[in-house]
Amino acid sequence: MSNVNISKLKEIVGEANVIDSSSEMAKYLKGPGKPAVVVLPGKTSEVSSIVKLANEQNVKLAVGGAVVNTQGITGGIAMVMSRMNQIVEMDKLNLVAIVEPGLLHKDFILKVAETGLNFPPEPYEVETSSVGGCFSIGDSDSKSFEYGPTRTFLLGFEMVLPTGEILEIGNKCIKNVSGLDFIHFAVGSQGTFGIFTKLLVKLLPQPEAKKAVIGTFASLHKANATFNTLIKRNVHPTRMNLINASFAKIAKPGTEGQLVIIDLQGFKESGKNIANEVASVLTLAGGFDVKIIEDAVEYDEVINGWLKVRAELNAKPERTVEFVVGPMKMPQALAQLEALTGDLGAYPGIIVEGLLGYVGLALPEGTEKLALATKVNKLAMSLGGNVKGLLGHKLKAEVYNDAEMWKQTTSLLNELRQQFDPKGILSPGVSLEA
Amino acid sequence: MLSQTVVKRLKEIVGEKNVVTDKVGLLTYGYDGTLLSGEALGVVSPTTTDQVVEIVKLMNEHDIKLVPRGAGTNESGGTIPSQEAIVISFTKMTKIHEIDTENFVAVVEPGVINFDLQVELAKQNFYFPPDPSSFKASTIGGNLGECSGGPKCFKYGVTRDYMLGLEVVLPNGKVIQTGGRNFQSEPGYDLTRIIVGSEGILGLVTKVFVRILPIPRAKKTMLALYDKVEDASQTVADIVAAGIIPTTLELMDNLLINTTEDFTHAGLPRDAGAVLIIEVDGYPEDMDEQVKTIGEIASKIAKEFKVAQTAVEVDQIWTSRRSAFGSVARVRPSYGVNDITVPRSNFPKAIGGVLKVAKDFGVTIGVVAHAGDGNLHPLILFDQRNKEETETVHKAEQALCMMALDLEGTISGEHGIGLVKKKYLDKEFTPAAMEAFRKIKRSFDPTNRFNPGKIIDL
Ligand SMILES: Cc1cc2nc3c(=O)[nH]c(=O)nc-3n(C[C@H](O)[C@H](O)[C@H](O)COP(=O)(O)OP(=O)(O)OC[C@H]3O[C@@H](n4cnc5c(N)ncnc54)[C@H](O)[C@@H]3O)c2cc1C
Ligand SMILES: Cc1cc2nc3c(=O)[nH]c(=O)nc-3n(C[C@H](O)[C@H](O)[C@H](O)COP(=O)(O)OP(=O)(O)OC[C@H]3O[C@@H](n4cnc5c(N)ncnc54)[C@H](O)[C@@H]3O)c2cc1C
């Protein structure tokens, strides 16, 4: 039985914005849990009232942009932010925007581009990811070498805390060290410190020119070897990515082989020269169909193909092993990985973000993720890296044989969470134990 | 006073020569870049993480607090032992463990001087972008403690953006590692980010993984001279509006032009109202067009615009800028450094505001600014021995802070809060935000052992 006071919710957001029939709820939900109700707030004060209500009744609540992950909120409230989707302000002079969290990430990128500006972070799920979710996950992506990870683009926010209180912080200054840096600490907190209700986002001018160089390779390892060549030549593109043959078919239908995508965002003059340099490196290394892409439509197609593959991996974290090594160690990493897994071609897919030394490996159904991740982490550590994120930390501590450190880390994380959310109301599906 | 037992134990932990308890010795560690001072119970300089752990545990047993310290150049009172505490000085942890240019990482101890790291990196044609003007003296630990800026932030960001991971000794004496050697290693929460800029109140940093970059292939340094400082501020706004991201946009007013000239004889015209130092970097083939655009924008207002032709010229320009703080000491015995920051579009208004404060309070203010970041350092010149004048200066500083907040800015862009600006913090932050800071402090340091009294009280 659920304690959710549906009629009270209706009072807060209006009848039309509370949905409690399971057939209608379905399109807002994903994951294993069965929340009692979906609620769509229209403004900050409503978000606050809903969270206060959840506290009073000790009901769990999770939030999403268009779709909510229901993990941990059976009998609880799923809060969908899609009605809060306005750009409150686009300030070209200061290169910032104030935006509501429910705006879809892809729509935000378009709106920003229309004003001649640039919001670099990649959407996580192309179709459903929201701006609030982007900062809530707070990842890095294949453009981070040049632009910095997602957190770089947050200057402030309004947030409803797990107690329902409203917190505002930050300003339009690009340098700000006042107080403790809760602004950037909140990035990546996955809805555990609070619900973003407004974001003050840093933007950049659009690059003068965008180009891509693509090429196809028969061998994954040969394709990857070109990245070391480029780094040694002191060429640091915006993206330097590799998609294996099976995923390449999703990214660019008709591709036969491993697809290399080099994205060059910058100035016209250098862009031309670097594109030529990259094209010759790819060709010399045995790449075929090497092509410099200047046409805007074709360029977008290539990039969107990349994002589609990325989303494919992002959607199945339980069936993906992600790790990072020193970028120049990638050839060894792939060789050693293959020694562990056997022919990588037999896997559903693999991608490499060359500038970051990142590998995402999609696992076949039935693979023991933890067992593989443990081995992969050892491999990665010997090459100056580790498995990504919280899981990586746990595995690293295991390798150091330092249970104490892991214990200390998790107890600090849990203490922080508890300080902000004493009743454990928000985002219960998010685990800080790995 | 520390008991003999504690002193003895400290000496056992770090060695005789790394413990200071004599009056004169303590005095030297009682100062920083501000005009404040205090006296520590003792100063201890560990050389390893294990020693740091031992010290923290010992202090916990005896209920003694700790004030971490790098080079002590901060401008916020962050290293002043304002309460009964020992100072833990990191100046003997100066190892550069590793420079890995192939993978864009360096691993250093916190006491490494920023400049020393730059020198080692330069040998391999790399650099560490954060370079506060104090970089010849300040430490990486101090840089991260304050989340320091510098002249390159416009394009390259601040210290926060170059910290990949940390080894941290917590107030309970336990060691954790945050982040790692890349962007994707944070354990659930971005602990690295909350330590950066926390001024030593959350943890003692004993190892730092920093991101390093290849030195850009080309760089152009330009100089624009103006009759009035307001004119210079207009060029700044125009450059930003044109969508150009220079590496650097530094401003000095007439007073600073003259004091730095006394010092460096770089050849800046003493009658100029203001000078802007503008730098762009990147690929050689992109330089000409950017220089041309900037030249066109600046020349609309500037009385002179020139592009430095030789490395010597570039050096001279930077020597002037870097000596700015120190140089004013010849005019009056004391100066107060402010660190207000406003949204870039409000920069001309902030310049106006500074001029007004100088007039309203009858004080002499020189302005040096990281103009592209909207970050101003109005230097108020005075004589600390004159009580009345000192009072007026404090009032003027408060007025500057309030002016910045009125212009939707912040009281600190890069120097931190420490003791000096703590009293204005609740003017900038709402009670909910102040409480969020306390929640964070409480999670790390429930009994307020590390750098007590800095930034916030529990
Ligand atoms: C650590 C992690 C674990 C994952 N586990 C799973 C899984 O088990 N099953 C699965 O199918 N997918 C999982 N994913 C993938 C994830 O569900 C989606 O791919 C991803 O969240 C982006 O798509 P979205 O539509 O949910 O985006 P969004 O709706 O934008 O949400 C992204 C994240 O941000 C949070 N969020 C959204 N809006 C706000 C806001 N305003 N304030 C605060 N937080 C907000 C959401 O709770 C969610 O965690 C996981 C992702 C991560 C990073
Ligand atoms: C002439 C001059 C020019 C300056 N120019 C700039 C500039 O351009 N940009 C700028 O941002 N700042 C500037 N500053 C301010 C100052 O130099 C910086 O804040 C610098 O980073 C401080 O480094 P430090 O080693 O002196 O640190 P300290 O002053 O010793 O310490 C700074 C803070 O960090 C803490 N801390 C130190 N080491 C550790 C550690 N290992 N673990 C945990 N906490 C620690 C301290 O407790 C303190 O709160 C300038 C100062 C001067 C005097």
Side-chain angles (χ1 to χ4, degrees):
Chain A
M1 256 324 283
S2 167
N3 300 322
V4 183
N5 186 338
I6 307 262
S7 59
K8 194 81 200 286
L9 281 177
K10 287 181 177 167
E11 266 172 47
I12 296 170
V13 295
E15 193 105 6
N17 298 309
V18 175
I19 300 162
D20 60 350
S21 98
S22 54
S23 60
E24 280 176 67
M25 278 161 65
K27 71 169 181 182
Y28 296 105
L29 304 175
K30 64 176 177 188
K34 296 223 174 320
V37 61
V38 169
V39 53
L40 295 93
K43 50 182 194 245
T44 305
S45 59
E46 294 176 4
V47 175
S48 165
S49 302
I50 297 164
V51 174
K52 281 186 181 148
L53 183 69
N55 265 278
E56 278 161 28
Q57 306 193 290
N58 221 342
V59 164
K60 310 277 183 210
L61 187 154
V63 57
V67 178
V68 180
N69 191 330
T70 55
Q71 176 90 39
I73 51 162
T74 293
I77 301 172
M79 188 187 283
V80 174
M81 302 303 283
S82 57
R83 287 179 62 222
M84 294 177 68
N85 63 354
Q86 298 301 304
I87 293 181
V88 181
E89 189 186 345
M90 187 69 82
D91 178 348
K92 278 192 80 168
L93 277 182
N94 289 303
L95 301 174
V96 300
I98 299 174
V99 53
E100 290 186 328
L103 181 63
L104 290 183
H105 189 142
K106 62 170 187 177
D107 292 344
F108 183 53
I109 290 179
L110 282 180
K111 291 255 169 59
V112 166
E114 278 167 19
T115 53
L117 299 177
N118 181 13
F119 177 64
E122 292 177 354
Y124 216 69
E125 284 290 324
V126 183
E127 295 309 320
T128 57
S129 277
S130 61
V131 180
C134 170
F135 289 104
S136 179
I137 293 177
D139 222 333
S140 55
D141 60 48
S142 68
K143 282 194 277 184
S144 296
F145 186 90
E146 172 160 346
Y147 291 112
T150 297
R151 84 172 109 80
T152 318
F153 297 91
L154 195 64
L155 297 176
F157 52 78
E158 177 188 81
M159 175 185 258
V160 172
L161 297 174
T163 49
E165 227 182 326
I166 299 167
L167 177 149
E168 286 170 293
I169 194 166
N171 52 52
K172 291 180 180 173
C173 303
I174 61 161
K175 262 163 69 186
N176 171 11
V177 297
S178 198
L180 288 172
D181 191 0
F182 185 60
I183 298 167
H184 296 99
F185 193 42
V187 177
S189 62
Q190 296 181 69
T192 59
F193 287 156
I195 299 168
F196 291 121
T197 46
K198 231 177 251 161
L199 298 133
L200 174 52
V201 178
K202 171 181 160 174
L203 303 170
L204 294 173
Q206 275 285 357
E208 190 184 37
K210 288 189 197 176
K211 286 186 179 56
V213 186
I214 58 169
T216 315
F217 288 77
S219 143
L220 186 73
H221 301 280
K222 283 223 170 103
N224 177 64
T226 60
F227 294 172
N228 273 17
T229 311
L230 290 174
I231 292 177
K232 276 196 197 129
R233 295 177 71 100
N234 214 1
V235 174
H236 308 105
T238 306
R239 288 183 174 97
M240 191 165 82
N241 296 348
L242 166 57
I243 306 175
N244 86 319
S246 52
F247 269 170
K249 290 197 169 56
I250 304 176
K252 193 168 178 292
T255 307
E256 290 295 333
Q258 338 281 331
L259 180 64
V260 166
I261 300 177
I262 310 289
D263 180 11
L264 301 167
Q265 307 188 355
F267 290 93
K268 267 194 249 130
E269 286 303 315
S270 56
K272 239 184 296 174
N273 299 339
I274 299 167
N276 289 332
E277 190 175 348
V278 170
S280 9
V281 166
L282 297 191
T283 308
L284 276 174
F288 45 95
D289 299 335
V290 173
K291 186 174 177 196
I292 298 177
I293 296 171
E294 314 210 29
D295 176 67
V297 175
E298 209 182 334
Y299 171 89
D300 284 344
E301 267 170 24
V302 167
I303 300 301
N304 288 336
W306 161 256
L307 294 178
K308 222 155 125 191
V309 170
R310 199 74 186 77
E312 191 81 14
L313 276 181
N314 291 340
K316 303 186 188 99
E318 72 289 352
R319 289 234 305 275
T320 307
V321 169
E322 298 177 283
F323 67 96
V324 190
V325 296
M328 288 294 278
K329 301 280 166 53
M330 190 55 79
Q332 289 109 296
L334 291 183
Q336 292 179 21
L337 181 65
E338 197 148 44
L340 263 182
T341 57
D343 180 16
L344 284 170
Y347 275 68
I350 181 167
I351 59 170
V352 173
E353 294 173 354
L355 285 163
L356 299 185
Y358 164 93
V359 179
L361 175 66
L363 308 177
E365 197 108 30
T367 314
E368 276 273 359
K369 174 177 169 172
L370 187 61
L372 181 61
T374 306
K375 287 185 205 148
V376 168
N377 184 61
K378 278 201 186 118
L379 174 173
M381 281 180 74
S382 74
L383 300 171
N386 44 263
V387 160
K388 181 174 167 173
L390 193 58
L391 175 61
H393 257 262
K394 182 178 187 176
L395 297 174
K396 261 203 292 192
E398 276 172 19
V399 172
Y400 296 145
N401 208 359
D402 198 339
E404 187 65 39
M405 179 167 340
W406 175 244
K407 210 174 109 204
Q408 187 55 48
T409 305
T410 48
S411 88
L412 180 60
L413 298 179
N414 286 319
E415 179 60 33
L416 282 158
R417 185 175 187 172
Q418 161 95 26
Q419 285 279 340
F420 280 86
D421 188 2
K423 285 194 170 175
I425 298 291
L426 273 197
S427 310
V430 174
S431 160
L432 297 174
E433 308 277 346
Chain B
M1 271 260 290
L2 291 177
S3 73
Q4 283 311 311
T5 354
V6 172
V7 174
K8 181 159 164 281
R9 275 292 295 134
L10 282 175
K11 286 181 175 169
E12 280 166 13
I13 296 170
V14 296
E16 185 97 31
K17 63 177 192 312
N18 290 327
V19 179
V20 174
T21 49
D22 67 291
K23 197 87 187 162
V24 181
L26 293 181
L27 217 58
T28 35
Y29 288 90
Y31 290 89
D32 60 14
T34 64
L35 297 168
L36 303 172
S37 65
E39 193 176 308
L41 298 172
V43 179
V44 46
S45 307
T47 53
T48 65
T49 303
D50 286 343
Q51 291 181 359
V52 176
V53 169
E54 288 305 306
I55 295 166
V56 170
K57 286 188 175 153
L58 179 70
M59 293 302 111
N60 282 349
E61 280 164 30
H62 293 271
D63 198 17
I64 298 168
K65 307 194 167 185
L66 287 101
V67 177
R69 181 184 170 100
T73 68
N74 73 85
E75 298 283 0
S76 61
T79 50
I80 301 289
S82 55
Q83 305 184 9
E84 295 245 305
I86 65 157
V87 164
I88 179 159
S89 165
F90 286 95
T91 46
K92 294 205 169 146
M93 292 182 73
T94 55
K95 274 199 242 15
I96 297 176
H97 288 296
E98 191 188 338
I99 289 177
D100 180 358
T101 55
E102 284 199 332
N103 297 304
F104 310 98
V105 185
V107 187
V108 303
E109 288 185 343
V112 170
I113 308 256
N114 184 305
F115 178 78
D116 294 344
L117 177 61
Q118 306 287 6
V119 169
E120 286 310 307
L121 291 172
K123 289 178 188 163
Q124 305 186 51
N125 217 20
F126 267 65
Y127 77 121
F128 172 60
D131 63 342
S133 303
S134 60
F135 79 133
K136 287 206 168 153
S138 63
T139 64
I140 301 296
N143 296 166
L144 88 84
E146 302 292 359
C147 186
S148 292
K152 293 204 194 84
C153 307
F154 196 141
K155 178 163 174 188
Y156 288 101
V158 292
T159 300
R160 174 196 314 125
D161 301 313
Y162 295 87
M163 295 292 136
L164 293 172
L166 307 171
E167 178 183 82
V168 184
V169 179
L170 296 173
N172 62 8
K174 300 271 166 57
V175 184
I176 59 164
Q177 231 181 47
T178 72
R181 303 170 72 100
N182 49 63
F183 290 135
Q184 304 189 319
S185 298
E186 284 301 336
Y189 294 145
D190 194 344
L191 294 175
T192 306
R193 247 41 62 186
I194 197 61
I195 301 280
V196 173
S198 68
E199 305 187 24
I201 75 168
L202 303 181
L204 304 178
V205 175
T206 49
K207 201 195 274 177
V208 194
F209 296 76
V210 302
R211 182 169 190 234
I212 54 175
L213 293 179
I215 292 176
R217 295 189 197 180
K219 176 175 85 176
K220 286 281 176 197
T221 309
M222 293 152 268
L223 207 62
L225 294 158
Y226 298 84
D227 287 325
K228 296 199 310 260
V229 63
E230 297 93 315
D231 293 349
S233 73
Q234 192 53 49
T235 293
V236 172
D238 291 348
I239 290 178
V240 179
I244 299 173
I245 307 238
T247 331
T248 291
L249 261 176
E250 298 282 297
L251 177 147
M252 294 197 292
D253 71 357
N254 175 270
L255 183 89
L256 269 301
I257 290 175
N258 278 285
T259 55
T260 58
E261 268 306 302
D262 292 344
F263 216 72
T264 61
H265 313 289
L268 295 175
R270 287 175 179 270
D271 61 343
V275 55
L276 263 190
I277 305 170
I278 310 164
E279 210 161 81
V280 291
D281 69 10
Y283 292 100
E285 57 267 48
D286 300 327
M287 291 294 108
D288 286 352
E289 198 187 316
Q290 290 181 66
V291 169
K292 186 162 156 270
T293 314
I294 291 172
E296 281 166 10
I297 291 172
S299 302
K300 279 193 295 188
I301 321 174
K303 60 178 197 169
E304 200 185 329
F305 174 82
K306 60 181 184 190
V307 185
Q309 300 300 337
T310 63
V312 178
E313 266 183 72
V314 172
D315 264 357
Q316 267 177 349
I317 294 173
W318 279 110
T319 310
S320 286
R321 170 58 188 88
R322 291 220 159 92
S323 63
F325 284 11
S327 70
V328 296
R330 291 199 178 183
V331 183
R332 299 293 306 274
S334 327
Y335 63 95
V337 182
N338 295 277
D339 183 34
I340 53 176
T341 307
V342 296
R344 291 184 273 219
S345 63
N346 281 340
F347 186 73
K349 280 191 199 147
I351 289 284
V354 172
L355 298 177
K356 183 167 183 305
V357 168
K359 201 159 149 246
D360 288 354
F361 291 85
V363 288
T364 307
I365 305 186
V367 178
V368 28
H370 307 295
D373 313 332
N375 182 197
L376 298 89
H377 298 313
L379 305 171
I380 310 188
L381 312 193
F382 67 111
D383 185 345
Q384 199 184 9
R385 291 163 300 190
N386 181 335
K387 263 224 162 98
E388 206 179 320
E389 194 183 9
T390 308
E391 273 306 299
T392 312
V393 168
H394 287 321
K395 286 191 190 128
E397 292 190 320
Q398 177 167 7
L400 287 172
C401 286
M402 295 312 131
M403 183 266 289
L405 293 179
D406 284 345
L407 293 174
E408 292 167 52
T410 168
I411 58 177
S412 183
E414 58 176 22
H415 289 167
I417 299 303
L419 293 172
V420 175
K421 298 196 193 73
K422 193 174 140 191
K423 52 184 175 292
Y424 309 131
L425 206 61
D426 62 358
K427 302 275 188 305
E428 177 163 346
F429 294 100
T430 61
M434 295 288 284
E435 188 52 27
F437 301 157
R438 277 187 220 105
K439 285 171 183 162
I440 294 166
K441 168 75 171 169
R442 246 181 255 131
S443 305
F444 280 84
D445 188 12
T447 52
N448 201 13
R449 319 200 62 83
F450 281 8
N451 220 356
K454 310 296 158 59
I455 307 181
I456 37 156
D457 291 315
L458 266 191

